[in-house]
Amino acid sequence: MFTRISATLGLRIQRAMSSVNIPPPECMLRPLEVPYRYLFGPGPSNVPPRILAAGARPIIGHLHTEMYEIMNDIKRGIQYAFQTNNHMTLAMSGSGHTAMECAVFNTVEPGESVLVSINGVWGERVAEIAERMGAKVHTMVKSPGGYFTTEEIEKALAKHKPVLFFLTHGESSAGLAHPVDNVGDLCLRHNCLFLVDSVASLGASPLLMDQQKIDILYTGSQKALNAPPGTAPISFNERACHKMFNRKIKPVSYLLDMTHLSNYWVRMHVLYHHTGPVSGFFALRESLAILAEKGLENSWRQHREVAEYLWKGIEDLGLKLFIKDKDLRLPSVTTIAIPDGYDWKELLAYMMKHHQVEMTGGLGPSIGMVIRVGLMGYNCSKFNADKALTALADALKHCPKRRG
């Protein structure tokens, strides 16, 4: 009997094996090779060895007690980085877009009014996200590099009566650090939640969530925080929590439903919702520890000093900075107006080929207008600024300049 069963199983395995007619791809039989690049674009930035080492630690279960302790460390680190006491503070399993969608999906219901300021690509993204989930989207639009006055914002709030107003603090597509002071007061006066994107600015440009009355704030892991892409800190204050936990209908996304995520992150209930990126959380925890050791004010100061050094070097090369007002420039991402006669794609390709330096062109509405140089976190040093300037000077010298 046993011999017959063994023979039958052997026959089934043989048939299963014979049905595999697609061979292993040759690329998967070779070892992984990744070149070293100087990531001087708008992100991701180079990850320091300490954070790489943290991400390489042994995996533990995403519901283990030790994992919840690490998640609680992350929460405390985000509270420090955001300068908030909000209890509802966590890190999303995904990029900054995940936090962006989480904020909109949880606080807005179909048919409700949303006001979005657009002066670059990120406002465009939020407007589309809100539109897709059925909100009535109203926009304030300016060309890349433009900013909105408090008078313009208040007028739009009074006209459209939104439940949510979105503003990008660090508009990386244009290199603009948008003023935030007093906007939270306006939103409070008009019974509207204030949502701020700080993906490109957190840790590089001053931002104080509680003091500036920001209701929802999010960022990404891969910019000035210097962790690998894939986690996104976010925080909701009491006003935001009241709105999202008193909905008439469930959010459109199960994965991003804060009813479940609050159990996982804030109440620390051992209930399965999704498997978080354990290694990504290790890396994020270490990046927040580095920021805490350095100190927020020192980080802001360092980014500003290096940015000003870079700005002077750019102007010494005869190039023009895209944002004219120095006070409105984003310290982490500098934008250079594309010099007359040059093909910006050729300049970028030359720097990559001959210097292993990554810079990028514009994004969304700023495509064809700017070259973007990012010196964030680990990359934020005068040494790296000199490396970027050397690559730029060499590209200007060797790339063909065409007559207009």
Side-chain angles (χ1 to χ4, degrees):
M1 183 69 176
F2 178 77
T3 304
R4 187 182 301 168
I5 292 172
S6 297
T8 302
L9 285 173
L11 183 60
R12 288 177 180 173
I13 292 170
Q14 187 177 4
R15 285 175 178 171
M17 291 176 66
S18 66
S19 67
V20 177
N21 53 27
I22 299 175
E26 290 186 11
C27 63
M28 300 310 298
L29 303 177
R30 299 192 300 267
L32 174 67
E33 294 183 6
V34 180
Y36 187 86
R37 299 266 165 77
Y38 298 98
L39 302 181
F40 297 164
S45 53
N46 293 103
V47 179
R50 177 175 162 185
I51 295 176
L52 288 173
R57 286 180 176 272
I59 291 287
I60 59 175
H62 64 290
L63 299 179
H64 288 184
T65 300
E66 295 85 356
M67 192 66 224
Y68 277 111
E69 291 174 356
I70 291 168
M71 290 164 63
N72 193 55
D73 288 348
I74 290 171
K75 175 181 173 179
R76 297 292 298 276
I78 296 170
Q79 288 172 325
Y80 171 70
F82 283 9
Q83 286 296 284
T84 183
N85 289 310
N86 291 340
H87 189 55
M88 197 62 64
T89 299
L90 62 150
M92 303 300 300
S93 302
S95 68
H97 278 83
T98 311
M100 181 187 287
E101 290 202 331
C102 177
V104 176
F105 287 170
N106 282 279
T107 59
V108 180
E109 299 195 57
E112 290 184 326
S113 175
V114 172
L115 179 63
V116 181
S117 62
I118 300 176
N119 58 344
V121 72
W122 306 119
E124 291 182 342
R125 295 282 171 89
V126 169
E128 181 172 345
I129 288 167
E131 185 178 279
R132 286 184 177 212
M133 54 78 58
K136 293 180 180 177
V137 179
H138 308 279
T139 59
M140 306 168 61
V141 182
K142 294 206 174 184
S143 59
Y147 72 98
F148 303 91
T149 65
T150 53
E151 291 76 17
E152 290 171 326
I153 293 170
E154 182 162 32
K155 183 178 179 181
L157 290 172
K159 178 180 179 181
H160 300 296
K161 298 177 173 53
V163 298
L164 182 76
F165 171 59
F166 171 83
L167 181 73
T168 308
H169 178 236
E171 182 45 82
S172 58
S173 66
L176 180 85
H178 199 290
V180 173
D181 287 342
N182 303 317
V183 179
D185 288 315
L186 294 179
C187 290
L188 189 63
R189 189 182 309 155
H190 289 271
N191 195 29
C192 164
L193 296 177
F194 184 27
L195 168 62
V196 175
D197 179 316
S198 69
V199 171
S201 59
L202 187 84
S205 185
L207 194 62
L208 306 165
M209 184 175 187
D210 288 357
Q211 290 185 38
Q212 293 173 313
K213 296 184 175 64
I214 298 169
D215 297 297
I216 311 162
L217 178 65
Y218 66 86
T219 192
S221 58
Q222 75 277 16
K223 309 276 186 172
L225 287 179
N226 283 145
T231 57
I234 189 169
S235 183
F236 302 82
N237 69 7
E238 288 299 322
R239 291 182 70 230
C241 287
H242 183 268
K243 176 73 170 69
M244 68 183 178
F245 292 137
N246 289 279
R247 299 173 58 92
K248 298 181 180 68
I249 62 172
K250 295 179 179 180
V252 296
S253 171
Y254 178 87
L255 177 63
L256 305 181
D257 188 339
M258 280 300 298
T259 302
H260 301 303
L261 288 172
S262 62
N263 284 329
Y264 179 38
W265 265 95
V266 180
R267 299 179 183 92
M268 297 293 181
H269 290 176
V270 185
L271 299 171
Y272 177 73
H273 174 249
H274 74 284
T275 304
V278 173
S279 296
F281 287 153
F282 290 171
L284 178 61
R285 191 263 182 210
E286 201 69 10
S287 72
L288 290 165
I290 290 173
L291 179 62
E293 291 165 10
K294 178 187 285 287
L296 263 177
E297 291 178 327
N298 289 332
S299 184
W300 296 337
R301 187 180 303 111
Q302 179 183 351
H303 280 85
R304 185 70 185 188
E305 289 175 356
V306 172
E308 290 183 348
Y309 180 84
L310 177 66
W311 298 340
K312 182 180 184 303
I314 288 169
E315 290 177 328
D316 288 346
L317 290 175
L319 300 173
K320 296 179 181 178
L321 293 161
F322 185 70
I323 303 297
K324 305 302 181 186
D325 188 339
K326 182 182 290 189
D327 293 334
L328 295 176
R329 292 176 191 157
L330 183 60
S332 50
V333 181
T334 293
T335 43
I336 305 168
I338 296 173
D340 292 339
Y342 285 97
D343 183 329
W344 60 272
K345 294 180 182 178
E346 290 182 357
L347 293 171
L348 299 180
Y350 183 92
M351 288 186 283
M352 180 65 81
K353 180 179 179 180
H354 296 278
H355 296 270
Q356 294 294 300
V357 166
E358 179 202 46
M359 296 181 195
T360 69
L363 185 64
S366 68
I367 291 176
M369 301 174 71
V370 298
I371 290 173
R372 296 185 293 162
V373 187
L375 296 177
M376 297 173 273
Y378 184 58
N379 287 346
C380 183
S381 68
K382 292 182 179 179
F383 176 84
N384 283 334
D386 285 334
K387 187 178 290 292
L389 291 167
T390 298
L392 269 170
D394 194 33
L396 291 169
K397 179 180 178 180
H398 288 96
C399 289
K401 183 176 182 181
R402 299 168 180 84
R403 293 181 179 180

